[in-house]
């Protein structure tokens, strides 16, 4: 793992990791991928108990030039890791649409196949699913994707469902997913890294 760099000099691309479930947060604890990042990418963790405030924060994060990817972590219902590839236009709590005139469904922009391959190569049970859960993680995925800036350099966005019953397993899965995402990220331009 790389040593933390002085603020403003780290040109590794940034992966914003959003932990929106207390059980997943507890399972990850001080996972080194969250605290130090990877050799090829740095991590910035965002979390919160209020899903609406967290959604507004993520909308800002995906427009920040230093954010090259967003990895949302939700809780897996059972079994292994699950890569959720889409989110439906639902209000929090599942009552009606969030955006009355918005798209009905949005699709994650990070490669689900590469995430799947990285997780299975790390010895983890994993599946890809287009089923959208009606929880905060799905809502956050929808909101972040709707606010992505246009252009080829828009951040990659993914939702990974994490089994929260095994901290070691959760940490390995997080590192594998971040590594898969980081493979496609280039270093930040010096003008962005200097901020």
């Amino acid at each position: 793992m790389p040593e933390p760099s002085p603020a403003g000099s780290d040109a590794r691309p940034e992966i914003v990791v959003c932990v929106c479930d207390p059980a997943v947060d507890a399972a990850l604890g001080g996972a080194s991928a969250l605290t130090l990042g990877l050799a090829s990418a740095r991590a910035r963790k965002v979390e919160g108990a209020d899903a609406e405030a967290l959604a507004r924060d993520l909308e800002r994060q995906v427009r920040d030039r230093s954010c090259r990817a967003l990895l949302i972590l939700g809780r897996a219902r059972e079994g292994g890791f699950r890569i959720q590839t889409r989110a439906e236009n639902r209000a929090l709590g599942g009552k009606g649409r969030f955006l009355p005139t918005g798209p009905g469904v949005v699709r994650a922009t990070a490669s689900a196949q590469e995430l799947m391959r990285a997780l299975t190569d790390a010895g983890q049970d994993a599946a890809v699913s287009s089923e959208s859960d009606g929880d905060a993680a799905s809502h956050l995925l929808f909101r972040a994707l709707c606010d992505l800036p246009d252009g080829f350099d828009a951040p990659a966005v993914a939702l990974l469902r994490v089994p929260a019953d095994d901290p070691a397993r959760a940490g390995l899965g997080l590192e594998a997913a971040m590594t898969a995402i980081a493979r496609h990220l280039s270093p930040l331009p010096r003008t962005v890294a200097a901020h």
Side-chain angles (χ1 to χ4, degrees):
M1 284 300 146
E3 290 299 315
S5 300
S9 65
D10 192 342
R12 291 177 297 163
E14 181 175 81
I15 300 174
V16 173
V17 181
C18 174
V19 184
C20 61
D21 186 288
V24 172
D25 193 35
L28 289 171
S32 64
L34 279 179
T35 57
L36 295 175
L38 309 167
S40 59
R42 57 193 163 109
R44 180 163 31 113
K45 180 182 174 186
V46 295
E47 60 187 316
D50 178 13
E52 181 58 36
L54 195 51
R56 286 192 305 272
D57 186 26
L58 291 183
E59 288 170 352
R60 284 189 299 274
Q61 299 283 346
V62 297
R63 293 197 169 276
D64 183 337
R65 286 185 41 205
S66 64
C67 172
R68 301 306 308 131
L70 170 63
L71 177 59
I72 301 169
L73 302 177
R75 188 182 337 181
R77 284 179 266 160
E78 76 250 346
F81 291 89
R82 182 166 59 96
I83 301 128
Q84 183 176 319
T85 60
R86 68 182 196 114
E88 294 175 5
N89 183 354
R90 289 187 199 158
L92 270 172
K95 303 261 193 261
R97 291 170 64 96
F98 172 71
L99 292 175
T101 59
V105 173
V106 292
R107 298 206 178 275
T109 59
S111 171
Q113 290 304 93
E114 291 203 27
L115 288 168
M116 173 80 166
R117 187 176 309 114
L119 287 162
T120 55
D121 287 352
Q124 303 301 313
D125 290 330
V128 175
S129 174
S130 62
E131 183 181 336
S132 179
D133 292 2
D135 65 355
S138 287
H139 183 73
L140 294 173
L141 178 63
F142 180 84
R143 297 274 297 267
L145 288 167
C146 283
D147 211 48
L148 273 180
D150 288 334
F152 68 91
D153 60 347
V157 179
L159 170 52
L160 178 64
R161 301 270 176 192
V162 177
D165 58 349
D166 184 346
R169 189 174 173 206
L172 283 171
L174 170 65
E175 186 170 338
M178 287 178 61
T179 299
I181 291 170
R183 280 189 199 114
H184 299 282
L185 305 179
S186 57
L188 293 174
R190 284 180 279 185
T191 56
V192 175
H195 290 338

